[in-house]
Amino acid sequence: MIRRRVIAAFSILLSACLGCGSSSPPVSSPRVPCLSGDVPRTGRPAADEMFAFLRREWARAQSPSVVGAHILETIPSLFPDGRDLLPEPSCSPDFRLAMRDGTFGHGEVVFSRMLIARLLAVGAIDETTDTMAAYFMRLVDLNPDQLTPYRPSPDEEGPNPPKSVIRYLALDRLVHSSFSRVPEARAFLRKLVYAPRDDREALIVARVAYGVVESPRWNESSPEARNLLRAWIPDVRRRLNVPRDGRTSGVDAISFELVMHHLESMRVLGSHLHADPAARALMTEIVGRRGDYPLTKGLSERSFDLAVVASGALYALDVPRHPLYPGRAPPPTRTVFSATKDLVPPEYESVGTDAGRQRMRELDGELEDLRLTYTRCAVLREQAHWVPDVDAETRFRDMSSEIFAWDGSVLSTGETECRIRSAADIRGAGDDERIAMLVRVLETTDTFQMQDAAIAAVLRHPEWIARSKELRHWFYQVATRTGVPNSTVGESWLAVHPVFDVLLSFLADRGEFAKGRAILIAFMATIREAAKHAETYTSIYPYEVAILRLYSVARYAVAFGLRGEAAALVASLPEGATYQKYGPAQRMASTMIELSAN
C-alpha cells in the first residue's frame, strides 16, 4: 500500500516537473478504462468487488426505461476511490464523456427521462472539470427548438415535463459544482447573477452571487459586493409590496425566497453596507412591521421568518466588524420553496409491479454473491427504492429481521446500519411496523451509528413523532439531558435537533406544557454551560448546539410560559471578545421572543 502511494506521488511530481518551462501540456498519470474493456483489478477486495458491481449496473443503465434512468443516476456513487492507484481507473472522465456523447452525439438532443438522468448523474460527480462545466453551460444555453418534444419511456407514468426543466436543472447543477475552478463557468454564472432571465433562474444563481463577484474578506469592504447588495434593496422593497397570487408555491413563493436570500446575504455580509441609510431603513421597517407585507399576507410563518432575518441583518449593520464566522440563522418556520425540487423526478418513481420485481430479482442476485459491506449497502439502498407495494410487508420483515441478534440486541455492523436506513424507507410497509422497528433500535442500542441511522429515518418522516408515543418518549428523554457535547458526539447532537423542534411543536399544539417546559429548561442549562466557556472551546460543536437550542427556546418560550426566563437568558449571553459569537443569535432570538408574544 505505502509503496504504491509513493510511486503514485512520484509519478505526479515527475509529470509536474516535465511540464515546467515547456509550452507542451504536462505528462499525466496513465489511466485504465473504467467503463469498457476488462473490469479493473486493483488487488483490493473492496475496490475490486465494487468495480465489478459498477460494470453490471452500468450495463443495466443502458435500458431506455425509468429503471435504467434511475440506475444511471446512481452510477457516480459507485466509483471506488482509486486516486492512489497507478494506473488509475478513469471512472469519472469516462463517465463524463459518455454522458456528453449520449446527450449531444446524435445530431439532436432527445428530451427524455434519460436526458434528465444524464444531467443529474454528471452533477453527482465530486470534482468539477472543464468538460463537466461545458456540458452544463451548453444545456443552459440550449435553444428550446434544439430539444425534441418529450419522448416518454415505455414504463413512464405522469405528465410530460416542460422543456425549461433542462435549463433549470443544468444551471442548478453548475451552481452546486466547484465552478470556481473553471474560469469560464465563473464568468458564465457572473453574467446570470446580474441578468437572470426569470425569477426561478435568479433564485438558482442567488446562492453563488458572492462566489462569482469579487471574493471579499469578511472584514474588508468590496465595491462590487457593496454595489450588488445595494441593487437588491429596491428589488426587495418591490417584491414585498406585490400582493400574493393566492398560492404557497409558484410565482409568489419564488419571489419570497429571493427576498429571504437577499436579506440573508445582507445579514452575512452586512459589513459591506455599514452606514448605508437605504439598507438600515429597509431592515428597520421590516422589523417594525413584524414582516407584515402584501407578499406575506395571511402567511404568518413567512412574516415571522422575514422579521427575524431582517433583525439579524440590522445587527450586521450595527456591528461593522462582522465576525469571521457569522453564525447560522434560525431554522425557518415556513416550508422553504426549492427552485428545483418540483422539477426533478420524485425520489421514488412509480413503475409497474413486473418492472419492480425484475429489478428486485437483479438485486437479490447481487446480495447472494457480494460479500463486502460497502457494496452490499449500495444494493440495500436500491432495494428500498424498488420494492413493489404488494411485496412490501414481506420485504420489510426480511430486511429488518437481520438487524437484530438472537437475544434481541441490535447487531453492531456496518450492514446493520444500512438495513435500518433501507427498511425504514420501504414505502409500502406500514408506518406502524417501521416505527416499531426504529423504536426497538433506539431503545436497545447506544451505538452512535445505529442510533443515527434511526434518527435519520425519523427526520425523513417527521410525521411519525405525532403518530408514536414511544418515539416521543425516547426523544423527550434525549432532549432533557443536559451538558455540552464534545467533538465525538457533537455531530449527532446537531443531527437530532430538528426532531426536537418537531416534538416541541407537537407538545405545544397538544397543550403538554410540563414536558415542553422541561425540554426548554434543559436547553437553557446547556446554553449557559456552553456560554460560560465560549472562549476556551477548541470544537465548534458546543457553540453550534447552544445556538440551535437558543433558537428553540426563543421560538417556544412564550408557548410554554417561559418568556421571562428566555429573555433573561438571551440578555445574559456574552457576545465574545474575539468573534462576537453570540451577538447575531442574541438579536434574532430576542426578535423571535417578541414576535411569539403577540
Side-chain angles (χ1 to χ4, degrees):
M1 176 75 74
I2 294 175
R3 182 171 178 267
R4 186 180 287 120
R5 288 176 177 169
V6 170
I7 294 173
F10 177 76
S11 175
I12 294 170
L13 289 171
L14 179 61
S15 299
C17 290
L18 288 173
C20 295
S22 171
S23 60
S24 60
V27 178
S28 59
S29 301
R31 294 176 180 265
V32 296
C34 176
L35 301 176
S36 61
D38 295 334
V39 176
R41 297 191 62 82
T42 67
R44 303 176 185 176
D48 288 347
E49 186 172 88
M50 183 57 87
F51 275 122
F53 175 60
L54 165 65
R55 290 291 284 274
R56 294 191 293 272
E57 288 287 87
W58 173 243
R60 294 168 185 144
Q62 308 312 306
S63 168
S65 63
V66 170
V67 176
H70 171 80
I71 295 172
L72 185 66
E73 292 169 10
T74 68
I75 291 296
S77 68
L78 305 181
F79 294 160
D81 187 353
R83 287 173 293 181
D84 62 340
L85 297 174
L86 190 67
E88 177 186 353
S90 57
C91 294
S92 293
D94 289 357
F95 187 75
R96 283 193 296 266
L97 291 175
M99 297 302 96
R100 184 196 65 186
D101 294 345
T103 300
F104 300 111
H106 304 290
E108 60 179 0
V109 180
V110 177
F111 185 27
S112 65
R113 176 65 183 84
M114 190 58 73
L115 175 61
I116 295 174
R118 292 191 192 102
L119 194 163
L120 297 177
V122 173
I125 299 174
D126 288 337
E127 70 272 20
T128 303
T129 64
D130 294 359
T131 303
M132 181 174 168
Y135 177 79
F136 289 137
M137 289 188 290
R138 188 171 175 184
L139 285 173
V140 171
D141 278 345
L142 196 67
N143 190 303
D145 294 337
Q146 296 175 279
L147 272 176
T148 69
Y150 191 76
R151 298 179 185 175
S153 306
D155 58 344
E156 196 168 347
E157 302 175 358
N160 296 342
K163 290 183 177 182
S164 57
V165 163
I166 297 302
R167 174 165 62 95
Y168 292 134
L169 289 181
L171 181 59
D172 181 68
R173 291 316 184 258
L174 180 61
V175 161
H176 282 83
S177 70
S178 302
F179 62 85
S180 58
R181 301 177 183 176
V182 183
E184 295 81 5
R186 185 185 179 104
F188 182 85
L189 289 173
R190 187 177 187 279
K191 178 182 68 174
L192 293 180
V193 163
Y194 284 101
R197 285 168 278 196
D198 55 48
D199 277 1
R200 191 184 289 262
E201 190 170 277
L203 182 57
I204 292 171
V205 300
R207 68 182 301 271
V208 295
Y210 285 94
V212 297
V213 299
E214 295 180 15
S215 298
R217 293 171 59 88
W218 290 105
N219 59 348
E220 292 180 359
S221 181
S222 160
E224 186 170 14
R226 183 168 57 252
N227 290 338
L228 185 59
L229 287 169
R230 283 175 172 165
W232 284 341
I233 293 172
D235 185 63
V236 167
R237 282 193 177 279
R238 177 185 64 81
R239 291 180 184 279
L240 286 174
N241 287 288
V242 174
R244 290 180 49 228
D245 65 2
R247 296 173 291 170
T248 56
S249 62
V251 175
D252 77 294
I254 292 175
S255 189
F256 181 76
E257 295 305 332
L258 269 170
V259 167
M260 292 300 292
H261 167 269
H262 294 339
L263 291 185
E264 175 64 8
S265 297
M266 295 175 198
R267 183 188 76 82
V268 172
L269 292 168
S271 60
H272 297 285
L273 287 172
H274 179 57
D276 187 282
R280 183 175 298 280
L282 174 62
M283 303 310 161
T284 302
E285 177 189 296
I286 292 173
V287 175
R289 293 180 60 163
R290 306 171 68 86
D292 184 16
Y293 286 88
L295 187 59
T296 64
K297 187 68 68 178
L299 296 174
S300 58
E301 292 178 342
R302 281 190 185 178
S303 299
F304 186 95
D305 292 346
L306 178 65
V308 169
V309 173
S311 70
L314 194 55
Y315 174 88
L317 294 173
D318 291 339
V319 183
R321 293 187 64 80
H322 204 269
L324 293 175
Y325 176 69
R328 64 169 75 219
T333 61
R334 72 191 186 281
T335 299
V336 177
F337 182 84
S338 166
T340 57
K341 187 176 180 179
D342 60 330
L343 306 180
V344 297
E347 184 179 1
Y348 294 97
E349 294 174 271
S350 296
V351 296
T353 299
D354 291 343
R357 284 177 170 170
Q358 171 59 31
R359 177 61 173 154
M360 292 301 292
R361 284 192 291 271
E362 294 172 352
L363 296 170
D364 286 341
E366 295 288 356
L367 285 179
E368 288 180 6
D369 296 332
L370 298 173
R371 294 291 176 265
L372 300 175
T373 297
Y374 183 62
T375 323
R376 291 177 63 83
C377 281
V379 174
L380 290 168
R381 286 195 301 271
E382 277 292 282
Q383 285 197 321
H385 195 102
W386 297 113
V387 176
D389 287 348
V390 295
D391 301 331
E393 296 289 349
T394 300
R395 285 285 183 173
F396 174 78
R397 286 194 296 269
D398 291 344
M399 187 175 290
S400 60
S401 65
E402 296 191 40
I403 293 172
F404 304 97
W406 63 270
D407 61 352
S409 62
V410 177
L411 294 169
S412 184
T413 68
E415 183 170 325
T416 301
E417 179 183 351
C418 298
R419 286 184 175 273
I420 294 169
R421 295 177 186 272
S422 297
D425 281 346
I426 297 179
R427 294 157 298 145
D431 285 349
D432 290 341
E433 288 76 12
R434 291 186 284 171
I435 290 170
M437 181 267 293
L438 295 175
V439 169
R440 187 178 172 190
V441 170
L442 291 170
E443 290 181 344
T444 56
T445 183
D446 57 1
T447 304
F448 293 136
Q449 291 86 345
M450 307 307 151
Q451 287 189 349
D452 285 353
I455 291 168
V458 177
L459 286 171
R460 292 193 297 276
H461 301 278
E463 69 278 5
W464 287 351
I465 289 293
R467 190 180 183 99
S468 170
K469 180 179 179 180
E470 292 78 14
L471 273 182
R472 292 197 299 274
H473 176 72
W474 190 87
F475 283 105
Y476 172 78
Q477 294 293 112
V478 176
T480 50
R481 295 173 188 165
T482 57
V484 177
N486 56 34
S487 57
T488 303
V489 300
E491 191 170 350
S492 297
W493 282 46
L494 290 176
V496 74
H497 189 86
V499 183
F500 296 156
D501 279 339
V502 175
L503 177 58
L504 285 166
S505 178
F506 175 87
L507 295 175
D509 290 343
R510 293 297 181 92
E512 297 187 32
F513 299 123
K515 288 185 176 179
R517 286 173 63 91
I519 293 174
L520 294 192
I521 289 170
F523 282 9
M524 288 191 282
T526 295
I527 295 164
R528 290 190 185 96
E529 181 65 22
K532 188 185 306 181
H533 306 288
E535 299 300 319
T536 61
Y537 287 124
T538 58
S539 167
I540 198 172
Y541 291 119
Y543 168 70
E544 287 285 288
V545 169
I547 292 299
L548 280 177
R549 295 192 170 197
L550 176 64
Y551 290 145
S552 294
V553 169
R555 181 176 175 183
Y556 293 103
V558 173
F560 293 116
L562 292 170
R563 179 184 179 183
E565 293 86 340
L569 171 68
V570 171
S572 71
L573 293 177
E575 289 194 6
T578 306
Y579 298 120
Q580 301 158 333
K581 281 186 175 179
Y582 287 95
Q586 281 175 299
R587 181 72 64 89
M588 289 185 283
S590 294
T591 302
M592 293 170 74
I593 295 171
E594 182 64 28
L595 292 171
S596 300
N598 295 286

